[in-house]
Amino acid sequence: MAKITKAELIKLLNKDLGLEYTAMVQYTQHQGVLKGAMYQSMQKELAIHATEELQHAIILAAQIDYLGGVPTVDMPPAKISRDNVTMLKQDLAGENDAIARYIARIRQAEDLNLYHLAQQLRNILAIEQEHAMDLEQALGK
Ligand SMILES: [Fe+2]
Ligand SMILES: [Fe+2]
């Protein structure tokens, strides 16, 4: 497979950045809407996820700038629902998508010998995996 170019990688990282904004907004909204005593600990967990997604966005913005790109301020719309389980499923789908994207992105960064970026992406990937595990547990998976 042909190596990707730095310009292509910047474009992909900007997509990741937009989706980090989306995740932050979605978790912020969902923790506000989640209802019921059974979901109290999950509500706190989602609030923590929101702040961690913001941290990821901050890291990606700095890396994109470092690579010579302009960090995006655009983001895809967040998914919402009035139903607890639906919200948690929406969040889990976002995490599984993020995990797949970051696994690909780490390989692409290493193909370009950007080991510092690859390390930052590994750190983000580890947190996304924790997020997915929290949600799977809450969903009884
Ligand atoms: Fe994230
Ligand atoms: Fe996440």
Side-chain angles (χ1 to χ4, degrees):
M1 213 171 75
K3 261 200 211 173
I4 81 164
T5 65
K6 199 163 102 173
E8 285 166 342
L9 181 61
I10 290 169
K11 222 180 240 179
L12 290 167
L13 288 168
N14 256 328
K15 274 193 183 162
D16 298 328
L17 175 58
L19 285 161
E20 290 291 351
Y21 297 146
T22 301
M24 190 259 290
V25 168
Q26 187 167 311
Y27 277 126
T28 302
Q29 201 266 2
H30 286 188
Q31 65 84 34
V33 176
L34 213 66
K35 298 260 177 333
M38 261 174 62
Y39 285 91
Q40 243 172 30
S41 69
M42 204 53 211
Q43 189 179 14
K44 285 186 190 133
E45 204 57 57
L46 296 192
I48 293 167
H49 287 194
T51 67
E52 288 171 334
E53 306 302 7
L54 174 59
Q55 289 305 314
H56 298 166
I58 289 168
I59 291 164
L60 290 178
Q63 292 292 322
I64 290 163
D65 176 76
Y66 174 73
L67 291 172
V70 179
T72 190
V73 290
D74 297 332
M75 53 179 269
K79 301 203 164 57
I80 61 170
S81 171
R82 302 295 304 181
D83 175 65
N84 287 351
V85 172
T86 304
M87 281 188 278
L88 295 178
K89 283 182 178 168
Q90 290 168 338
D91 295 336
L92 180 57
E95 294 297 344
N96 285 333
D97 175 63
I99 288 166
R101 278 185 290 104
Y102 287 126
I103 288 171
R105 217 64 75 237
I106 290 163
R107 288 212 186 101
Q108 291 160 334
E110 288 183 346
D111 278 348
L112 292 171
N113 293 334
L114 297 168
Y115 295 108
H116 176 73
L117 172 62
Q119 187 55 50
Q120 299 283 340
L121 294 168
R122 275 198 175 79
N123 295 341
I124 295 175
L125 174 62
I127 302 294
E128 309 301 15
Q129 278 170 335
E130 281 177 23
H131 290 172
M133 284 160 66
D134 290 341
L135 292 160
E136 280 174 1
Q137 202 167 23
L139 286 163
K141 285 195 180 179

